[in-house]
Amino acid sequence: MGNRVTRGDFEWVYTEQPHTQRRREILAKYPTIKSLMGPDPHLKWIVSGMVLTQLLACYLVKNLSWKWIFFWAYAFGGCINHSMALAIHDISHNVAFGNKQAKWNRWFAVFANLPFGLPYSASFKKYHIDHHRYLGGDTLDVDVPTDFEGWFFCTPFRKFIWLILQPFFYGLRPLYVNPKAVTQMEIFNALVQFSVDFIIYYLWGLKPVVYLIAGTLLCMGLHPIAGHFIAEHYMFLKGYETYSYYGPLNWITFNAGYHMEHHDFPSIPGCKLPMVKKIAAEYYDNLPQHQSWCRVLWDFVFDDTIGPYSRIKRICKLATENQ
C-alpha cells in the first residue's frame, strides 16, 4: 500500500530551538505582550462545565447498546475529552490560577482529568516542561518518536496503524525514553481517578466507564482533532520544526493551533494567543502554517517524505552532561 518513507533518520541540527531568540526579539519590540501573561479567569468555569457534561453523559449512556456506546464515545465524548486534554495542557502552564497558586493548578488538573477514565494530568505535567525547555532534545523531549517508530512505521498502512495507536505510544514512550520516578501527585491523580471510575461503575455500571476510556483512546488516535499531534512539530518543510494552525478547530481546543505562538510564550493562556499573533504579525504571517488538521493526517499517511522520522532533533546541554 504505497511507497516506503524516504527518510531513514531524524533531522539532526546543531542549533538552539528558534523560540528562545524570537521571544527575545518580540518582547524587545512589543513589551506590551507581557501584559498578556497570567491566568485565564474563564478557564476553570469552562473546564468545570465540560466535566459535568461528561458526568451527565455517563448517566445518559448507561442503557445504550455497545455500538452506540462507541459511536457516542468517538463522535461526542471523545471530542470533549480531547478538548479537556488541551485544557490540561494549558493548566500545566499555571494559567488556571496563576503561578502563585501552582498547587491549585495541579489539583484542578486532576479534576479536569476525571472524564478521561485514566490518570494523565500529573504525568503530562512532569514531561511537558521538558518538551518546552528541550524541544527536540535527544532523550529529553519524549514527544519525539523513538527510532523503532521511525524505522517500522514507514509505509502508508503502517503509518495509518501508528495514528490509531498514537495514544499508546504517547503514554508509554516516556517510560522507555526518559523514565522518571513516580511523584506524589501522580499517585494522588491515580487514586482520585480510579475512585471516581469505581463510583461511576457502582452507580451506572460498566458502559459509562467504557464510554469515557474509549472516547479518550479513540479521539487521541485517528480523529480530526488529533491532527494537532502531527501538525505541531512534524517537519513538513525542511528546517521548520513548529507550525501553527488558525482554523475553526481552535474554538474547541483552547487555541492549541496557535502552537508557534504558544512555544514563544508558554505563560500566555490559549485564549490570548490570537492577540500575540495580531501584535507581532510580521513574525508569524510569513511562517509555514497548516490549513487543516484533517489534511495533515492525510498527508502524513500518504506522503512518502513524511513519517515518524520527520522530526528535528538536537543534543541539548543537559543530555550531554548526563552522558
Side-chain angles (χ1 to χ4, degrees):
M1 184 177 169
N3 298 324
R4 296 175 66 91
V5 173
T6 56
R7 293 197 65 89
D9 195 2
F10 299 103
E11 182 80 6
W12 288 90
V13 299
Y14 303 93
T15 57
E16 293 185 358
Q17 60 168 293
H19 302 286
T20 305
Q21 180 59 32
R22 185 162 52 240
R23 182 187 308 121
R24 294 195 193 102
E25 292 180 14
I26 292 176
L27 286 177
K29 189 172 182 179
Y30 302 107
T32 55
I33 284 183
K34 292 181 180 179
S35 66
L36 302 177
M37 300 175 184
D40 173 2
H42 305 294
L43 183 61
K44 55 183 175 291
W45 305 116
I46 296 172
V47 167
S48 297
M50 294 168 72
V51 171
L52 294 175
T53 298
Q54 281 291 71
L55 291 177
L56 175 60
C58 285
Y59 171 77
L60 294 175
V61 304
K62 62 187 177 67
N63 294 320
L64 294 180
S65 64
W66 283 109
K67 67 178 180 181
W68 288 110
I69 292 290
F70 288 102
F71 171 81
W72 288 114
Y74 185 84
F76 178 74
C79 297
I80 293 182
N81 282 6
H82 201 136
S83 181
M84 193 73 75
L86 295 166
I88 290 173
H89 164 261
D90 255 21
I91 296 166
S92 74
H93 292 284
N94 295 333
V95 302
F97 296 94
N99 289 321
K100 293 182 180 179
Q101 302 290 340
K103 282 293 184 181
W104 281 97
N105 288 282
R106 302 290 80 75
W107 295 330
F108 188 64
V110 171
F111 171 72
N113 196 148
L114 295 181
F116 277 53
L118 299 169
Y120 162 81
S121 64
S123 299
F124 174 81
K125 165 67 176 178
K126 182 171 68 174
Y127 285 101
H128 190 62
I129 295 173
D130 288 344
H131 172 62
H132 277 269
R133 188 176 297 164
Y134 309 112
L135 181 63
D138 186 37
T139 75
L140 292 173
D141 183 1
V142 297
D143 187 65
V144 179
T146 60
D147 276 302
F148 170 78
E149 292 170 73
W151 168 77
F152 184 78
F153 296 99
C154 58
T155 66
F157 177 72
R158 293 183 187 182
K159 286 190 287 182
F160 178 78
I161 298 300
W162 185 82
L163 289 178
I164 295 174
L165 298 177
Q166 191 166 211
F168 298 98
F169 287 114
Y170 196 78
L172 298 176
R173 189 187 301 133
L175 304 179
Y176 171 77
V177 175
N178 187 18
K180 296 185 178 184
V182 176
T183 65
Q184 290 184 342
M185 184 56 70
E186 285 179 291
I187 296 173
F188 175 71
N189 187 186
L191 288 174
V192 171
Q193 184 64 59
F194 292 132
S195 296
V196 171
D197 288 350
F198 177 78
I199 292 171
I200 293 174
Y201 171 76
Y202 179 79
L203 292 175
W204 302 317
L206 179 62
K207 289 181 178 179
V209 178
V210 173
Y211 160 80
L212 294 178
I213 297 176
T216 297
L217 298 179
L218 291 172
C219 280
M220 294 184 76
L222 190 65
H223 192 278
I225 299 177
H228 79 88
F229 285 125
I230 307 301
E232 289 168 356
H233 296 293
Y234 283 78
M235 192 179 63
F236 281 73
L237 289 177
K238 187 177 178 63
Y240 292 93
E241 60 186 308
T242 307
Y243 301 78
S244 285
Y245 154 80
Y246 303 116
L249 287 178
N250 280 298
W251 300 342
I252 59 172
T253 57
F254 299 92
N255 285 328
Y258 287 75
H259 210 67
M260 188 78 72
E261 294 82 350
H262 169 65
H263 270 265
D264 288 352
F265 301 99
S267 58
I268 295 179
C271 66
K272 297 180 181 178
L273 290 176
M275 297 175 67
V276 173
K277 182 179 184 298
K278 182 177 181 180
I279 293 171
E282 70 273 23
Y283 285 91
Y284 299 110
D285 285 351
N286 295 322
L287 290 175
Q289 58 187 253
H290 292 293
Q291 304 299 319
S292 165
W293 282 342
C294 291
R295 179 58 188 267
V296 165
L297 294 174
W298 178 273
D299 288 344
F300 179 83
V301 170
F302 293 106
D303 190 331
D304 60 11
T305 66
I306 302 171
Y309 266 142
S310 301
R311 292 290 295 262
I312 287 178
K313 289 191 74 173
R314 52 176 56 85
I315 300 294
C316 294
K317 291 182 180 179
L318 182 59
T320 303
E321 292 169 359
N322 287 341
Q323 289 179 348

